[in-house]
Amino acid sequence: MQLSLGVVVGLLFVAGLLLSRIHFCMVAAVAKASHGDWDTARAIALISCGISAVLVALEVASGRVPRQLSLDWPVLVGGLLFGVAAAWNRGCFVGTSIQLAGGDLRALVSLVGWVLGFLVAGSPMALPVLPGQLQRTALALAALLVLLGVSLLAVRPAPSPSGSPPGEGVAWRASIACGAMLALIDNDLWRWDPSSLARALAHPLALAESLQRRDPAPLLGLVLLMGMAAEALVQRRSRIALPLTADLVRLPFGMAMAAGAVLAMGGNDSQLLRFLPGGSPHGWLAVPAMLAGILIGLRCPAPLGLPRH
């Protein structure tokens, strides 16, 4: 199944709405969970579950298997580096994009850092692709089972604070629907995530060549941002915040995030929304490393004077 560009644009716009509505951010999820609030973490788990379920269904129907990459030590190092830098940046790739779409122009400094980081760090290291159809299928099925188990725990009702309305918490239907839409896009190998947009902007000549061929695919991340901006406007959360001199330290933090993403063969956006639910072994190493890095970054004062998250 090959989706048309128009369908992809529509799906991405709605996915941007939902990601913003859910407040998707790996850094925020870890920070909240450490204080007993698991709502954002549950939502992220459910999105990954939706992606995994649809990818496996498409695999059964078409025989097309998500790309499976093997493990290597730079993935661990890159994940840790990305996590620490994202915590000091006050947002992951998706979370920072939501900030920017909501009018927080301080996140624009981080975006410039991503572009410069991908320009300096270059292309991701080449990990060998795992051979064998049956082996890859088993990995994808294992990913689905694990994510389903996590989701069953995630949707268990937590005690509601007194006075809070029933049903408040994780918008689990929206999370699974968002995952299903992103899986359809992932299955056709469209590059839509914020890190892919930053990587495209880091290579302006290749981007200009694509646009001359009337191929807007490298800029699909802008559609995701528009969906996020639309949600912020509808919810009346859009507030302009100009960057201050102290926010310039987000530039090196953004560069470090990009370098970590290169070593880990993907930032947290592609790991959580493509590789991990697709069963790629390197994703099952990169994501825990990123979580550990975020915990370290949240507990260690950020250098250069930027306050902790």
Side-chain angles (χ1 to χ4, degrees), residues 33-61:
S34 65
H35 292 91
D37 181 358
W38 289 85
D39 279 359
T40 303
R42 292 187 188 109
I44 292 174
L46 288 166
I47 291 173
S48 293
C49 176
I51 294 173
S52 187
V54 173
L55 286 179
V56 171
L58 290 172
E59 176 188 339
V60 171

Side-chain angles (χ1 to χ4, degrees), residues 17 19 32 58 66 81 91 131 149 167 199 213 216 248-249 252 272:
L17 281 167
L19 288 171
K32 292 177 181 178
L58 290 172
L81 173 60
R199 190 176 285 111
R213 298 196 308 265
L248 293 178
V249 296
L272 286 170

Side-chain angles (χ1 to χ4, degrees), residues 53-274:
V54 173
L55 286 179
V56 171
L58 290 172
E59 176 188 339
V60 171
S62 65
R64 185 174 183 177
V65 183
R67 193 181 185 200
Q68 308 289 320
L69 301 179
S70 63
L71 301 173
D72 209 339
W73 67 266
V75 173
L76 177 63
V77 175
L80 285 169
L81 173 60
F82 177 89
V84 172
W88 289 345
N89 179 64
R90 301 175 178 173
C92 64
F93 279 141
V94 181
T96 303
S97 300
I98 292 173
Q99 295 170 20
L100 180 59
D104 189 347
L105 299 182
R106 294 171 295 186
L108 190 60
V109 180
S110 302
L111 175 59
V112 174
W114 300 346
V115 173
L116 293 176
F118 283 123
L119 180 64
V120 172
S123 301
M125 51 169 283
L127 290 176
V129 178
L130 292 181
Q133 177 82 8
L134 291 177
Q135 184 179 11
R136 290 182 290 168
T137 302
L139 287 167
L141 290 172
L144 175 64
L145 292 174
V146 172
L147 288 168
L148 282 174
V150 171
S151 300
L152 287 174
L153 294 174
V155 298
R156 289 172 61 185
S160 298
S162 58
S164 62
E168 202 174 58
V170 179
W172 64 272
R173 292 183 183 87
S175 299
I176 294 177
C178 181
M181 287 186 288
L182 293 177
L184 293 174
I185 301 170
D186 285 344
N187 187 63
D188 285 346
L189 303 180
W190 295 94
R191 296 193 173 276
W192 54 268
D193 44 274
S195 58
S196 293
L197 174 62
R199 190 176 285 111
L201 294 175
H203 300 91
L205 294 180
L207 178 59
E209 185 178 342
S210 295
L211 295 178
Q212 284 179 352
R213 298 196 308 265
R214 298 184 178 180
D215 176 18
L219 297 178
L220 282 176
L222 293 176
V223 179
L224 195 75
L225 283 173
M226 290 192 300
M228 294 173 175
E231 191 276 338
L233 288 172
V234 169
Q235 297 296 320
R236 299 183 180 179
R237 292 191 299 99
S238 187
R239 297 287 187 276
I240 299 297
L242 297 176
L244 303 174
T245 303
D247 293 304
L248 293 178
V249 296
R250 289 190 175 203
L251 192 68
F253 295 159
M255 294 178 69
M257 289 172 67
V262 168
L263 288 172
M265 277 297 293
N268 76 300
D269 47 4
S270 55
Q271 297 289 357
L272 286 170
L273 303 175
R274 181 178 302 123

